Amino acid sequence: MSDRRMSNAITRPRRGMALEVVLLMLVMFSVIVLAGLSAVTTISRTSNADYHGARATYAAEGGADDVMSQLDAAMQDGIISGEDLANIQSPVVSGYRMTQATRTTGVPVSRTITSGPFSGLYSLNQPIDIEVTARDTSGNRATAVLSVNAQTIPLFQFGVFYEGDLEIHPGATMNFAGWVHTNGNLYLSSDDVRFQSNLTTPDSVFWQRKDSNNRLYGVHINNAAGTAVALRFDSRSLSDPLFKTRSQQDFDGRLMSRAHGVKPLKLPLPSNTPAVTLVEPRVAGDNSMVQDVKMAWKADWHITLDASVFTAYTAADSNTMKANFCTFLTQERSAGLALPSAAMCARIFKPRLDAFYEGREDNRVGSTLAIIRPDLIDIHLDTLRLWSDSAPAARAPRIIYINVINDNVADTRRDFVAVRLRQGAQLPRSRVAADTGGLTIATARPVYVLGNFNTIVWRPAAIIADAITFLSQPPNPNMDARTSWPSATRCTGSSAGWCDVNQQAADMNTARSTNVNAAILAGHSATPNDFMRVGGSQPYGGGLENFPRFLENWSGATHHYTGSLVSMFTSRYALGLWGSGVGGQYYSPPTRQWSFDVNFRFPERLPPGTPSVGTVLQTAFRPLY
């Protein structure tokens, strides 16, 4: 064989082997490409699944927030009921089928609030779980669980509670111990006012008066260490985040506004039902929710006064009028409780026609001087106590409600019908010896409190009315003793202390220092417009310092008050604005020693029928996988 043939024989196999290698490489490359494509597809599918899963999670979380807002709206009436939970609507999110299950977990428990703006108060707590599931059309699904706490808070554990704007501008020094809350704006300006506890509003804090362009530099708020720190900022000067930071820096967060997530606290009433409903008379059509709030339905002693008694007799305060007064009263008691006899009724309840000059109310007749004198139903609490204490199990009252009918609305000067509480230094015992007991007196009319109230043996007490005026301690040296009181308090002479006969013209009776221990819930006189919004000075409603009203010259006298100051509405019968009586000089202010009654920090020591308000607080959030 020649060398060429040998060479060709050797070369041909090598060429075939190269082809095989190329083919093998092509196959391997194809496998790599396919694997890469598969990986890309897998990654794409995984990313797509993660994307859609994340969207479903966000939808579930958003749905939980929607249900939370529905609960929050339901709680605006102060309570969460089974009906509220049944009426929760499943949230709507485009592209998802949403389902929700909202349910209570356990029974309501009374305990101290430990988180949120109202931390430190106590409430009836109802834990609730909100479970929301979101599913899209591709089968992606996510579930979120939101845990919330529905808190029902008794009103009288606040030192001050206002439904509308709250103005605090005392001229005289004022120190106040107790939580201050308003559902409106908070206006603070004074030469010397000091707050020893928290101040909260779901709206704004203004370091200025509402009625004029005036700011004073004596507002102080205690920090957590009890050190008084001057207020030097408000909701106008700082944005919400900066307001929150500055409040923490200056007061340890004890001044809280919308910046802190504070929410309004509302009575448990149907939507668009005004808070003044709480004091209104019974109406046959009142539903169960309204009945649970109205003091007239809560009362175990319901009294209806026919005001025509004040025009039925020509001789004012005649013995005949007094003897027949109880025939103008319709009295009802619940659960078989006893009513006083006719003779005892005449000793407990007495009429007082044109009782005294009411300087604050003179503004209702303009510039014409007219003597405004209220017609009163005087309730002699010492006589009531002696009658009740002789058989407390059958007689002791807890809530007394006084309704007034047939007053002459065309002649409000003559028929300014009101209630006066007198000789109330010691209140009736409870029906059960082991019970703290207590007494709440309520009416839609103005109330006057004469002399010391609830000062001998402390009991939970409340006065709920259209307006509340404190009349000073009469001049009798032992006035707390029943036998020392003169008839109708018509004491004579120039001694200091309240006397009806000395308050019969446009001058001021000289007051004596007086002590009152009771929660009060009443209407107030509001400054009609906000200076900052409308410009120009506005008539001042009187603010917190004049919420309990006065009619005397209190210069040199001290008004000691311990309780809870609550206003849920503006007055509808006692319409006189602060400082608007004849010449604006119908009283001079006392030294105000006012403080919160720390007894009200315990549920068992609250006055009978204490109203409650509510809010909802988120406590936890978790996704379910």
CSV table of all heavy atoms in Angstrom, one decimal, residues 194-197 219-231 249-252 254:
chain,number,residue,atom,x,y,z
A,194,ARG,N,-52.6,75.5,86.1
A,194,ARG,CA,-51.7,74.4,86.2
A,194,ARG,C,-52.5,73.1,86.1
A,194,ARG,O,-53.4,72.9,86.9
A,194,ARG,CB,-50.8,74.4,87.4
A,194,ARG,CG,-50.0,75.7,87.4
A,194,ARG,CD,-49.3,75.9,88.8
A,194,ARG,NE,-48.6,77.2,88.8
A,194,ARG,CZ,-47.3,77.3,88.5
A,194,ARG,NH1,-46.6,76.2,88.2
A,194,ARG,NH2,-46.7,78.5,88.5
A,195,PHE,N,-52.1,72.2,85.2
A,195,PHE,CA,-52.7,70.9,85.0
A,195,PHE,C,-51.8,69.8,85.5
A,195,PHE,O,-50.6,69.7,85.1
A,195,PHE,CB,-53.0,70.7,83.5
A,195,PHE,CG,-54.0,71.7,83.0
A,195,PHE,CD1,-53.5,72.8,82.2
A,195,PHE,CD2,-55.4,71.6,83.2
A,195,PHE,CE1,-54.4,73.8,81.7
A,195,PHE,CE2,-56.2,72.6,82.7
A,195,PHE,CZ,-55.7,73.7,82.0
A,196,GLN,N,-52.3,69.0,86.4
A,196,GLN,CA,-51.5,67.9,87.0
A,196,GLN,C,-51.6,66.6,86.3
A,196,GLN,O,-50.9,65.6,86.7
A,196,GLN,CB,-51.8,67.8,88.5
A,196,GLN,CG,-51.6,69.1,89.2
A,196,GLN,CD,-52.0,69.1,90.7
A,196,GLN,OE1,-52.0,68.0,91.3
A,196,GLN,NE2,-52.4,70.2,91.3
A,197,SER,N,-52.5,66.5,85.3
A,197,SER,CA,-52.6,65.2,84.6
A,197,SER,C,-52.7,65.4,83.1
A,197,SER,O,-52.3,66.5,82.6
A,197,SER,CB,-53.9,64.5,85.1
A,197,SER,OG,-54.0,63.2,84.7
A,219,VAL,N,-49.8,79.1,81.3
A,219,VAL,CA,-50.3,77.8,81.2
A,219,VAL,C,-49.2,76.8,81.5
A,219,VAL,O,-48.2,76.8,80.8
A,219,VAL,CB,-50.9,77.5,79.8
A,219,VAL,CG1,-51.4,76.1,79.7
A,219,VAL,CG2,-52.1,78.5,79.6
A,220,HIS,N,-49.4,75.9,82.5
A,220,HIS,CA,-48.3,74.9,82.8
A,220,HIS,C,-49.0,73.6,82.9
A,220,HIS,O,-50.1,73.4,83.3
A,220,HIS,CB,-47.7,75.3,84.2
A,220,HIS,CG,-46.9,76.5,84.2
A,220,HIS,ND1,-47.4,77.8,84.2
A,220,HIS,CD2,-45.5,76.7,84.1
A,220,HIS,CE1,-46.5,78.7,84.2
A,220,HIS,NE2,-45.3,78.0,84.1
A,221,ILE,N,-48.2,72.6,82.4
A,221,ILE,CA,-48.6,71.2,82.4
A,221,ILE,C,-47.5,70.4,83.1
A,221,ILE,O,-46.4,70.5,82.8
A,221,ILE,CB,-48.9,70.7,81.0
A,221,ILE,CG1,-50.0,71.5,80.3
A,221,ILE,CG2,-49.3,69.2,81.0
A,221,ILE,CD1,-50.1,71.3,78.8
A,222,ASN,N,-47.9,69.5,84.0
A,222,ASN,CA,-46.9,68.7,84.7
A,222,ASN,C,-46.4,67.6,83.8
A,222,ASN,O,-47.2,67.0,83.1
A,222,ASN,CB,-47.6,68.0,85.9
A,222,ASN,CG,-47.7,69.0,87.1
A,222,ASN,OD1,-47.5,70.2,87.0
A,222,ASN,ND2,-48.1,68.4,88.3
A,223,ASN,N,-45.1,67.4,83.9
A,223,ASN,CA,-44.5,66.2,83.2
A,223,ASN,C,-44.7,65.0,84.1
A,223,ASN,O,-45.3,65.0,85.2
A,223,ASN,CB,-43.1,66.4,82.8
A,223,ASN,CG,-42.2,66.7,84.0
A,223,ASN,OD1,-42.5,66.4,85.1
A,223,ASN,ND2,-41.0,67.3,83.7
A,224,ALA,N,-44.2,63.8,83.7
A,224,ALA,CA,-44.3,62.6,84.4
A,224,ALA,C,-43.7,62.7,85.8
A,224,ALA,O,-44.2,62.0,86.7
A,224,ALA,CB,-43.7,61.4,83.6
A,225,ALA,N,-42.7,63.5,86.0
A,225,ALA,CA,-42.1,63.7,87.3
A,225,ALA,C,-42.9,64.6,88.2
A,225,ALA,O,-42.5,64.8,89.4
A,225,ALA,CB,-40.7,64.1,87.1
A,226,GLY,N,-43.9,65.2,87.7
A,226,GLY,CA,-44.7,66.2,88.5
A,226,GLY,C,-44.2,67.6,88.4
A,226,GLY,O,-44.6,68.4,89.2
A,227,THR,N,-43.3,67.9,87.5
A,227,THR,CA,-42.7,69.2,87.4
A,227,THR,C,-43.5,70.0,86.4
A,227,THR,O,-43.8,69.5,85.3
A,227,THR,CB,-41.3,69.1,86.9
A,227,THR,OG1,-40.5,68.4,87.8
A,227,THR,CG2,-40.7,70.5,86.7
A,228,ALA,N,-44.0,71.2,86.8
A,228,ALA,CA,-44.8,72.0,85.9
A,228,ALA,C,-43.9,72.7,84.8
A,228,ALA,O,-42.9,73.3,85.1
A,228,ALA,CB,-45.5,73.1,86.7
A,229,VAL,N,-44.3,72.5,83.6
A,229,VAL,CA,-43.6,73.0,82.4
A,229,VAL,C,-44.5,73.9,81.6
A,229,VAL,O,-45.7,73.6,81.4
A,229,VAL,CB,-43.1,71.8,81.5
A,229,VAL,CG1,-42.4,72.4,80.3
A,229,VAL,CG2,-42.2,70.9,82.3
A,230,ALA,N,-44.0,75.1,81.3
A,230,ALA,CA,-44.8,76.1,80.6
A,230,ALA,C,-45.1,75.6,79.1
A,230,ALA,O,-44.3,75.1,78.4
A,230,ALA,CB,-44.1,77.4,80.5
A,231,LEU,N,-46.4,75.9,78.7
A,231,LEU,CA,-46.8,75.6,77.3
A,231,LEU,C,-46.2,76.7,76.4
A,231,LEU,O,-46.5,77.9,76.7
A,231,LEU,CB,-48.3,75.6,77.2
A,231,LEU,CG,-48.9,75.3,75.8
A,231,LEU,CD1,-48.5,73.9,75.3
A,231,LEU,CD2,-50.4,75.5,75.9
A,249,GLN,N,-41.1,65.7,74.6
A,249,GLN,CA,-39.9,66.4,75.1
A,249,GLN,C,-40.3,67.2,76.3
A,249,GLN,O,-39.6,67.2,77.4
A,249,GLN,CB,-39.3,67.3,74.0
A,249,GLN,CG,-38.2,68.2,74.5
A,249,GLN,CD,-37.7,69.2,73.4
A,249,GLN,OE1,-37.6,68.8,72.3
A,249,GLN,NE2,-37.5,70.4,73.8
A,250,ASP,N,-41.4,68.0,76.3
A,250,ASP,CA,-41.7,68.9,77.3
A,250,ASP,C,-42.6,68.3,78.5
A,250,ASP,O,-42.3,68.6,79.6
A,250,ASP,CB,-42.5,70.1,76.8
A,250,ASP,CG,-41.6,71.1,76.0
A,250,ASP,OD1,-40.4,70.7,75.8
A,250,ASP,OD2,-42.1,72.1,75.5
A,251,PHE,N,-43.5,67.5,78.1
A,251,PHE,CA,-44.5,67.0,79.0
A,251,PHE,C,-44.6,65.4,79.1
A,251,PHE,O,-45.5,64.9,79.7
A,251,PHE,CB,-45.9,67.5,78.7
A,251,PHE,CG,-46.0,68.9,78.3
A,251,PHE,CD1,-46.4,69.3,77.1
A,251,PHE,CD2,-45.6,69.9,79.3
A,251,PHE,CE1,-46.5,70.7,76.8
A,251,PHE,CE2,-45.7,71.2,79.0
A,251,PHE,CZ,-46.1,71.6,77.7
A,252,ASP,N,-43.6,64.8,78.6
A,252,ASP,CA,-43.6,63.3,78.5
A,252,ASP,C,-44.9,62.8,77.8
A,252,ASP,O,-45.4,61.7,78.2
A,252,ASP,CB,-43.5,62.7,79.9
A,252,ASP,CG,-42.1,63.0,80.6
A,252,ASP,OD1,-41.1,62.9,79.9
A,252,ASP,OD2,-42.1,63.5,81.8
A,254,ARG,N,-47.9,64.1,77.8
A,254,ARG,CA,-49.1,64.2,78.5
A,254,ARG,C,-50.1,65.2,77.9
A,254,ARG,O,-51.2,65.4,78.4
A,254,ARG,CB,-48.8,64.5,80.0
A,254,ARG,CG,-48.2,63.4,80.7
A,254,ARG,CD,-47.4,63.9,81.9
A,254,ARG,NE,-48.2,64.4,83.0
A,254,ARG,CZ,-48.6,63.8,84.0
A,254,ARG,NH1,-48.4,62.5,84.1
A,254,ARG,NH2,-49.3,64.3,84.9
